[in-house]
């Protein structure tokens, strides 16, 4: 089967960089938008190909998701030999359980839709929940960008501590901590609304220590803002860096983070990020990671060290 990198519209520079790393040409999927808002993609000839469909489902999440589903269906109907959805940022992953009566489990609905669209396999990077693998009816490869980000963070100042801004990020923080050989502290956070959180306590020794705050994603910036405040309120050194795999940076996130006493905010190009939106923002690429994974899968080789640690 021939290897084909098919780019949706969500992050064409990332698809281009992946294709370059694999020494192939990306095929941009054409996208027609009807006056009523319906999307109509066209993938061109894919018969018999091993297709890797690059489409993170960041904002506008629902448009990018529908485009992904339609692209996968177009590949299936076009006779692709194998279809792998490469969705480095997987939207709706935060809706992995019902927080209150009357809610849906959004990540399950999206996973089912993706299976129904004809994708044979899914690749994600640092998904919000590793339960995604169990929710998906197709093989799901969960890569991690933590080694890439940890390399970009080094050298960290003496006495630094890795801070998880909530309990959900503790496992991720442990991975950073083991690579950077640092201790871990964990903030106790309560989410009030989609854009407001409350955090006052921190478990771990933070006094006079520079903090490396890590998370899977930054959306409105509320979580990071609260973590920075807690760290400083508990005597942390005023030398804070932030690392998060996915920089959604919605709404006022850039100005919110820009106003904090943070040396820099490190993220990846899993989503199309406007680096000019925040002077402190540094972006490292996950294209080599994704290209490595795609190359191995195409050759039917194991992903080993590229995967999230169990
Ligand atoms: C939530 O548990 C996630 O891991 C992130 O901490 C959260 O989604 C970030 O969102 P925001 O930037 O809006 O606080």
């Amino acid at each position: 089967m021939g290897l084909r990198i098919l780019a949706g519209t969500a992050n064409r520079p990332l698809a281009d960089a992946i294709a370059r790393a694999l020494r192939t040409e990306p095929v941009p999927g054409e996208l027609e938008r009807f006056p009523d808002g319906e999307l109509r993609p066209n993938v061109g000839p894919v018969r018999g190909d091993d297709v890797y469909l690059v489409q993170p489902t960041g904002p506008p999440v629902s448009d990018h998701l529908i485009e992904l589903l339609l692209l996968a269906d177009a590949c299936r109907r076009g006779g692709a030999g194998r279809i792998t959805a490469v969705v480095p940022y997987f939207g709706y992953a935060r809706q992995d359980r019902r927080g209150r009566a009357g809610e849906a489990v959004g990540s399950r609905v999206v996973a089912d839709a993706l299976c129904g669209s004809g994708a044979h396999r899914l690749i994600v990077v640092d998904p919000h929940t590793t339960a995604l693998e169990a929710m998906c009816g197709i093989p799901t490869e969960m890569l991690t960008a933590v080694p890439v980000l940890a390399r970009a963070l080094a050298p960290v100042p003496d006495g630094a501590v890795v801070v998880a801004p909530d309990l959900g990020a503790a496992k991720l923080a442990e991975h950073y901590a083991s690579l950077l050989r640092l201790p871990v502290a964990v903030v106790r956070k309560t989410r009030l609304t989609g854009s407001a959180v409350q955090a006052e306590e921190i478990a771990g020794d933070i006094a006079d220590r520079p903090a490396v705050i890590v998370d899977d994603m930054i959306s409105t910036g509320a979580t990071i803002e609260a973590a920075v405040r807690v760290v400083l309120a508990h005597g942390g050194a005023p030398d804070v860096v932030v690392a998060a795999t996915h920089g959604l940076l919605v709404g006022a996130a850039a100005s919110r983070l820009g106003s904090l006493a943070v040396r820099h905010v490190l993220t990846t190009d899993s989503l199309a990020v406007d680096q000019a939106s925040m002077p402190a923002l540094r972006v490292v690429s996950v294209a080599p990671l994704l290209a490595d994974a795609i190359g191995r899968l195409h050759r039917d080789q194991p992903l080993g060290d590229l995967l999230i640690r169990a």
Side-chain angles (χ1 to χ4, degrees):
M1 277 191 283
L3 171 67
R4 187 176 287 261
I5 304 295
L6 187 62
T9 60
N11 193 347
R12 289 222 158 124
L14 177 65
D16 289 349
I18 293 170
R20 267 198 309 278
L22 289 163
R23 298 179 196 284
T24 181
E25 285 292 318
V27 183
E30 284 173 23
L31 183 67
E32 188 182 350
R33 191 176 284 271
F34 277 20
D36 63 1
E38 281 188 12
L39 305 177
R40 183 158 76 164
N42 186 307
V43 298
V46 291
R47 189 162 300 282
D49 287 341
D50 185 17
V51 177
Y52 293 82
L53 190 46
V54 181
Q55 176 79 344
T57 51
V61 179
S62 301
D63 268 15
H64 286 150
L65 172 62
I66 294 290
E67 185 187 347
L68 170 67
L69 300 176
L70 295 177
L71 284 167
D73 184 70
C75 290
R76 171 174 61 175
R77 292 177 197 278
R82 187 165 63 175
I83 306 161
T84 301
V86 182
V87 190
Y89 172 72
F90 190 94
Y92 282 94
R94 285 186 292 179
Q95 295 188 40
D96 57 344
R97 61 186 177 281
R98 289 185 297 168
R100 283 176 304 184
E103 291 183 348
V105 181
S107 46
R108 176 61 196 257
V109 173
V110 171
D112 284 351
L114 190 59
C115 297
S117 72
H120 298 111
R121 187 169 51 194
L122 170 65
I123 299 178
V124 294
V125 180
D126 292 329
H128 177 68
T129 173
T130 52
L132 192 60
E133 180 170 20
M135 288 186 200
C136 275
I138 51 176
T140 300
E141 309 293 359
M142 296 188 291
L143 310 184
T144 179
V146 170
V148 176
L149 288 160
R151 269 197 300 278
L153 284 167
V156 288
D158 286 346
V161 55
V162 176
V163 175
D166 56 30
L167 266 176
K171 192 92 188 159
L172 191 79
E174 276 172 18
H175 191 183
Y176 276 97
S178 72
L179 295 174
L180 296 168
R181 298 179 190 285
L182 297 177
V184 174
V186 182
V187 173
R188 188 155 163 249
K189 170 187 109 177
T190 312
R191 180 163 288 285
L192 304 174
T193 67
S195 58
V197 303
Q198 192 176 18
E200 274 152 28
E201 295 166 39
I202 186 164
D205 180 12
I206 187 78
D208 297 322
R209 288 170 174 271
V212 179
I213 302 176
V214 300
D215 209 348
D216 59 318
M217 60 189 277
I218 302 174
S219 181
T220 66
T223 299
I224 297 300
E225 182 182 31
V228 171
R229 293 194 195 291
V230 170
V231 162
L232 298 180
H234 286 78
D239 180 14
V240 177
V241 296
V242 174
T245 305
H246 309 292
L248 284 84
L249 301 176
V250 301
S255 59
R256 190 174 208 170
L257 296 179
S259 69
L260 297 174
V262 167
R263 183 146 51 97
H264 56 250
V265 176
L266 191 61
T267 190
T268 78
D269 58 355
S270 65
L271 294 163
V273 189
D274 176 12
Q275 205 156 353
S277 66
M278 194 182 12
L281 192 64
R282 282 173 50 198
V283 180
V284 292
S285 184
V286 284
L289 169 70
L290 289 164
D292 191 356
I294 290 169
R296 293 192 203 189
L297 290 172
H298 181 61
R299 297 188 298 271
D300 288 326
Q301 292 171 343
L303 297 184
D305 55 328
L306 309 184
L307 297 171
I308 286 179
R309 291 174 170 197

